Amino acid sequence: MRFFSIFRTITLRIIAMVNIIAVLVMWLCAYIGHVTPERLPLGEVLALAFPAPLIVNLLFLLFWLFFHRRYALIPIVGMLVCWQAIWDYCPWHFRQEVPEGAIKVMSYNVCNFVGPDYDKSKALGVAEHICESGADIVCLQETGALRLSLKKKVEERLSQEYAHGGRLMKKDGEEVSIYTRYPVLWCKELPIDKMKNQSAVFCLDVKGTQVLVYNCHLQSIGFDKEDKDELRGGNLKNIDERSLISKMRASAPLRARQADFIAKELKANEGKAVILCGDFNCSPTCYAHTTICHLLTDCYKASGRGLGFTYNNGETYARIDNIFCSKDFECYGCEVDTEIDVSDHYPVVCWVKMPTKP
């Protein structure tokens, strides 16, 4: 009996040491997003992996509750230390009544209105869904690659619902667009980087207040069609993991520079009413998202509920599309619209209430 008691004690202590290692890995993944990938490119990969050590520690917690409750303090303390990152990933707010006068905002990477399979028959359906959403400000990414005749039909349908709009296209790059019920006073491209992805700022006259609306599409990870097809088909055995990690490492510093540029723009416009929408191509614990969160309110974190995956491409799920606003705005009911799945992104929508003028 004494032998089995000693064996059990040693075994539990070894498992506890493994649990401590899992906690340290979880902490690293949770807070690596505060370090720029220009200094540590692998940090972006670790930040994306945050759910894995979190799940491992949850399993450890269940294990300890059954076999040795005192050791349950290890995962509990571990999760408490990175509670902020857990909340960033999966906030949980009760539904609030949207107040009168709130503005509905939508951010949507439409994948050129035709989706990854380039099904041109769905383009008008995407435009119809946007019009029926009731959004007052719609920021769209990847709106450029349509043949002229079909693009004209899409724009005609959107213009029936939205009196004002604007779009900016990079030469040999992509286009971002805005459709809104409020006048567009001016717009300009953000010279973020000499990459295909596009970002712009639009100045709107919203009920007499000038609101800067940033529409950003940060550097894509760089998965090619073959990578995406393998992921969508679930053929994980055929994927070259080293190639995918290499692509993520290469794109991360570019996203970091773009986020830093946007942060400088936001600081230069401090005190102004700001809404920022876009496809960040990174998770809530990554550097770009963390950088913008220092300056603006993440609407999903402030009023959303659950994991809120906006990217749905087969076996890959993540919340990479965001709506932010100035800290003096109030956010209500931020959610992911899963009713349309033409694009490999879902729209994210939120109601924001502008501060009352003194």
Side-chain angles (χ1 to χ4, degrees):
M1 288 295 291
R2 189 167 182 271
F3 170 79
F4 286 108
S5 177
I6 294 173
F7 178 77
R8 182 178 185 275
T9 300
I10 293 174
T11 302
L12 289 175
R13 287 180 178 178
I14 291 172
I15 295 173
M17 289 299 297
V18 174
N19 192 176
I20 290 171
I21 293 172
V23 166
L24 294 175
V25 172
M26 180 174 63
W27 289 351
L28 178 64
C29 295
Y31 294 110
I32 197 70
H34 293 272
V35 180
T36 174
E38 292 191 274
R39 292 176 55 190
L40 190 64
L42 190 60
E44 188 94 341
V45 180
L46 292 172
L48 285 167
F50 172 69
L54 174 60
I55 292 171
V56 169
N57 278 282
L58 287 170
L59 293 175
F60 268 119
L61 177 59
L62 292 175
F63 174 83
W64 293 129
L65 290 175
F66 279 103
F67 293 100
H68 202 296
R69 292 186 180 181
R70 187 171 60 181
Y71 282 162
L73 284 173
I74 297 172
I76 289 173
V77 171
M79 288 185 282
L80 286 175
V81 169
C82 62
W83 177 252
Q84 187 61 62
I86 296 172
W87 186 258
D88 290 349
Y89 228 95
C90 187
W92 197 268
H93 294 276
F94 293 107
R95 296 293 183 189
Q96 291 179 292
E97 185 177 348
V98 179
E100 186 177 350
I103 300 166
K104 189 174 184 181
V105 181
M106 170 187 282
S107 180
Y108 188 15
N109 182 326
V110 294
C111 196
N112 300 307
F113 294 96
V114 293
D117 299 324
Y118 204 77
D119 188 345
K120 292 179 284 187
S121 66
K122 296 180 178 179
L124 284 174
V126 174
E128 188 69 32
H129 184 83
I130 293 169
C131 291
E132 293 177 353
S133 70
D136 300 297
I137 299 173
V138 180
C139 290
L140 305 178
Q141 303 87 41
E142 291 190 23
T143 60
L146 272 181
R147 74 173 190 267
L148 191 59
S149 59
L150 183 55
K151 189 170 187 176
K152 186 177 179 181
K153 291 180 180 178
V154 168
E155 290 183 341
E156 284 177 352
R157 177 64 190 99
L158 290 170
S159 64
Q160 291 173 6
E161 185 70 24
Y162 298 100
H164 309 279
R167 53 192 178 92
L168 287 174
M169 175 180 279
K170 271 193 173 183
K171 185 178 181 182
D172 300 324
E174 70 158 55
E175 180 181 270
V176 293
S177 305
I178 191 170
Y179 292 90
T180 172
R181 306 187 195 282
Y182 308 108
V184 179
L185 304 179
W186 53 263
C187 63
K188 70 173 183 178
E189 177 185 352
L190 298 180
I192 289 179
D193 224 323
K194 294 182 179 178
M195 304 303 295
K196 285 181 63 179
N197 296 62
Q198 170 69 297
S199 294
V201 57
F202 301 85
C203 182
L204 307 187
D205 180 356
V206 180
K207 304 175 184 178
T209 299
Q210 289 191 13
V211 178
L212 298 180
V213 179
Y214 290 82
N215 189 0
C216 304
H217 189 189
L218 302 191
Q219 177 61 37
S220 301
I221 292 176
F223 291 168
D224 55 29
K225 187 178 185 301
E226 183 177 344
D227 294 331
K228 293 181 179 180
D229 288 343
E230 296 289 356
L231 288 168
R232 193 182 307 121
N235 301 318
L236 303 183
K237 293 182 180 179
N238 299 332
I239 293 176
D240 185 347
E241 293 181 5
R242 288 176 298 178
S243 173
L244 298 187
I245 292 174
S246 176
K247 290 176 181 179
M248 287 190 281
R249 289 183 60 183
S251 64
L254 297 172
R255 264 192 308 281
R257 290 201 293 271
Q258 293 170 351
D260 287 339
F261 182 91
I262 294 170
K264 289 180 181 177
E265 278 275 321
L266 294 172
K267 289 176 182 176
N269 290 298
E270 190 174 0
K272 296 181 180 179
V274 170
I275 295 172
L276 190 154
C277 300
D279 174 6
F280 274 42
N281 277 305
C282 67
S283 73
T285 53
C286 291
Y287 178 80
H289 188 278
T290 302
T291 299
I292 302 304
C293 272
H294 288 321
L295 302 167
L296 300 176
T297 298
D298 177 350
C299 293
Y300 193 86
K301 177 181 171 183
S303 64
R305 183 165 58 176
L307 293 168
F309 294 139
T310 62
Y311 185 70
N312 177 16
N313 189 19
E315 298 298 313
T316 308
Y317 301 91
R319 188 168 84 249
I320 62 176
D321 300 87
N322 301 281
I323 298 175
F324 296 87
C325 63
S326 307
K327 294 188 181 294
D328 52 352
F329 278 75
E330 296 176 0
C331 309
Y332 298 89
C334 192
E335 61 184 6
V336 178
D337 177 3
T338 58
E339 293 184 5
I340 185 167
D341 60 358
V342 174
S343 171
D344 51 2
H345 294 248
Y346 291 129
V348 56
V349 297
C350 184
W351 285 263
V352 296
K353 181 70 181 296
M354 295 176 59
T356 306
K357 292 183 179 181

